[in-house]
Amino acid sequence: MSMTVGLYRPGDTVLHRLPVGAKLLGLAVISVSIVVLRGPLLAVGFLALAVVLALVGRLDLAATARALRAVLVIAVVVALLQWWLFTLPRAVESLLDLVSLALVALTLTVTTPTTEILDAVVRWIRPLRRVGIDPERVALTISMAIQALPGTLTIAQETRDAARARGLGRSPRAYLTPFVIRVVAGAHETGDALKARGLGD
């Protein structure tokens, strides 16, 4: 996956010009709808909506395809587990929902500077400082999550390739176990680095 995918790219589209609050609210509404409303047909509709938004935001086709290919690795594994535990329609729905969520989030980050997103979050939760919530710390957490996503997807792709090289490409366990271990190890390393700088408490 290209590490530049998901970074803001200047433009003059409708999505670029929308206020950051409207875009974040839209992302929240669409994401909640995808999770709450069930059914394969609705999943197809949400995917179509995500594609339309990506086209309106003029996302780079090649870079977006590379990004979704990495997301698709995770989505396929989840879908296979859903198929094994439940039904094929449920698996297809999960696959489409995950791709739709990823594409909508990608569209937001490509059409909105990360600094604007973080500034908006800090501004909105500043009144919560009275109850002990630190807006800057929350913004730091969100920023780290955004920066960690490309690395997580890279780990997913590398783990998939390693499983295939061992002839275990069809085994969920051969993929999921090392993937989870690497992600958790990375999280511990980040936590240790923050703690060393006095930000771990």
Side-chain angles (χ1 to χ4, degrees):
M1 172 185 171
S2 171
M3 291 299 98
T4 61
V5 172
L7 297 178
Y8 172 67
R9 297 179 182 176
D12 59 353
T13 70
V14 173
L15 292 181
H16 282 85
R17 295 195 300 268
L18 275 178
V20 62
K23 286 187 277 191
L24 288 174
L25 178 60
L27 174 65
V29 170
I30 294 174
S31 299
V32 170
S33 299
I34 290 175
V35 172
V36 173
L37 301 178
R38 313 307 306 171
L41 291 180
L42 283 173
V44 172
F46 285 126
L47 179 59
L49 174 61
V51 170
V52 169
L53 291 175
L55 291 175
V56 171
R58 297 179 186 171
L59 271 65
D60 180 83
L61 181 60
T64 302
R66 288 194 297 270
L68 292 183
R69 183 177 60 187
V71 173
L72 195 60
V73 174
I74 300 174
V76 167
V77 172
V78 172
L80 288 175
L81 291 175
Q82 292 283 328
W83 189 8
W84 181 42
L85 295 173
F86 302 103
T87 62
L88 179 58
R90 178 82 170 266
V92 173
E93 180 183 350
S94 297
L95 176 66
L96 297 180
D97 284 349
L98 288 173
V99 174
S100 299
L101 288 168
L103 185 54
V104 171
L106 180 64
T107 301
L108 172 69
T109 57
V110 169
T111 59
T112 312
T114 302
T115 53
E116 287 189 11
I117 297 175
L118 298 179
D119 288 345
V121 171
V122 170
R123 186 166 60 251
W124 295 339
I125 67 175
R126 188 167 289 136
L128 298 179
R129 191 187 295 274
R130 300 175 182 175
V131 295
I133 296 178
D134 185 348
E136 285 72 22
R137 190 178 291 266
V138 173
L140 174 62
T141 302
I142 296 174
S143 175
M144 290 177 60
I146 293 174
Q147 295 175 16
L149 180 57
T152 302
L153 294 177
T154 298
I155 291 174
Q157 189 168 5
E158 291 175 352
T159 307
R160 178 203 61 181
D161 293 341
R164 285 181 174 176
R166 297 194 304 272
L168 301 173
R170 296 180 179 272
S171 171
R173 179 178 296 179
Y175 168 80
L176 287 176
T177 301
F179 172 70
V180 171
I181 291 174
R182 290 185 63 185
V183 170
V184 172
H188 279 298
E189 290 178 0
T190 302
D192 292 341
L194 290 174
K195 187 174 182 179
R197 291 166 174 79
L199 298 172
D201 296 330

